[in-house]
Amino acid sequence: MDYVLLALSWVLYYTLYSLLSASKIKRILEVKWGKANKWYRLIHALLAILILSGITTQALLIHKTVWIPKSNLTDYLGYMLAGFGTIIVTKSSKKYSLKRLLGSEPSSEEEKLVTSGLYSKTRHPLYAGLLLIFSGYFLFSGTITAAVHLGCFILYLPIGISIKEKELLLKYGDDYHSYKTSVPALIPKLR
């Protein structure tokens, strides 16, 4: 039952995150809230932190049931994947402004589509990095709890990518469409 509740918590998080990230919801709130809309990003971020804190607490309280026995190989692979994932998330996050994410700096309509660096290899390096981190954590811990985290993220990926790409197509039009046709979503092409 604990694992079902953990999965439902992830469903709640991903559902709220997707709804609050949707362009249509943003436009509706912009009209309804007027000048107060500047607080939207901050409320969104605080709500995400609150739910993620709840998920973390919930996961810590679940009795650890090992699904995959630990070995030197699983430890090594787990650390390696999580390490690479952390590097990817860190490098790709440099393209974002923390002030803009929290809503204290307005978004510029003239923002250019980023297609350099990691974004020249994959359209969604943040998702790719998170996938590596979750996979590494699962291999290292080998617990059912870690499998639930990874499974929920894998199930959410196509939804999250679809929502983000619709938003980017609206914002950048043909530029994003041509970028989308030449750069893979998650897994870089081997050349």
Side-chain angles (χ1 to χ4, degrees):
M1 185 64 171
D2 288 337
Y3 302 117
V4 172
L5 290 175
L6 182 62
L8 289 174
S9 296
W10 277 114
V11 169
L12 172 68
Y13 172 78
Y14 289 133
T15 300
L16 283 175
Y17 183 83
S18 297
L19 286 173
L20 293 174
S21 297
S23 298
K24 187 174 183 178
I25 298 293
K26 289 178 187 176
R27 286 191 301 273
I28 290 169
L29 291 176
E30 193 173 300
V31 171
K32 288 192 181 245
W33 288 7
K35 288 186 178 184
N37 190 52
K38 68 180 182 180
W39 297 102
Y40 171 77
R41 300 284 302 189
L42 181 61
I43 293 168
H44 184 210
L46 291 175
L47 185 60
I49 290 168
L50 181 67
I51 295 172
L52 286 173
S53 297
I55 290 171
T56 302
T57 303
Q58 187 180 10
L60 290 171
L61 295 175
I62 293 175
H63 175 71
K64 303 296 178 248
T65 304
V66 175
W67 196 17
I68 296 177
K70 288 181 69 67
S71 71
N72 288 340
L73 180 62
T74 59
D75 283 354
Y76 176 76
L77 289 174
Y79 278 128
M80 188 178 72
L81 290 175
F84 284 141
T86 302
I87 291 167
I88 291 169
V89 166
T90 302
K91 284 188 162 288
S92 60
S93 295
K94 289 182 179 181
K95 302 291 182 185
Y96 296 99
S97 161
L98 183 61
K99 287 182 179 180
R100 191 172 308 132
L101 284 173
L102 294 177
S104 63
E105 180 181 286
S107 238
S108 168
E109 292 300 320
E110 300 300 316
E111 289 177 7
K112 299 212 182 232
L113 177 63
V114 177
T115 59
S116 60
L118 290 175
Y119 290 88
S120 68
K121 307 293 182 204
T122 175
R123 295 192 310 271
H124 303 283
L126 281 172
Y127 283 152
L130 287 172
L131 182 60
L132 290 173
I133 291 169
F134 277 113
S135 299
Y137 173 60
F138 170 65
L139 285 174
F140 175 76
S141 73
T143 63
I144 295 175
T145 305
V148 170
H149 295 316
L150 176 60
C152 289
F153 185 70
I154 288 171
L155 290 173
Y156 174 72
L157 269 176
I159 298 164
I161 288 172
S162 174
I163 290 168
K164 190 65 180 170
E165 293 203 333
K166 284 178 186 174
E167 183 180 315
L168 291 167
L169 278 168
L170 280 173
K171 187 170 185 174
Y172 298 110
D174 290 338
D175 287 343
Y176 190 78
H177 182 72
S178 62
Y179 171 67
K180 183 179 176 181
T181 58
S182 62
V183 177
L186 285 176
I187 301 169
K189 292 178 186 172
L190 298 175
R191 294 175 192 205

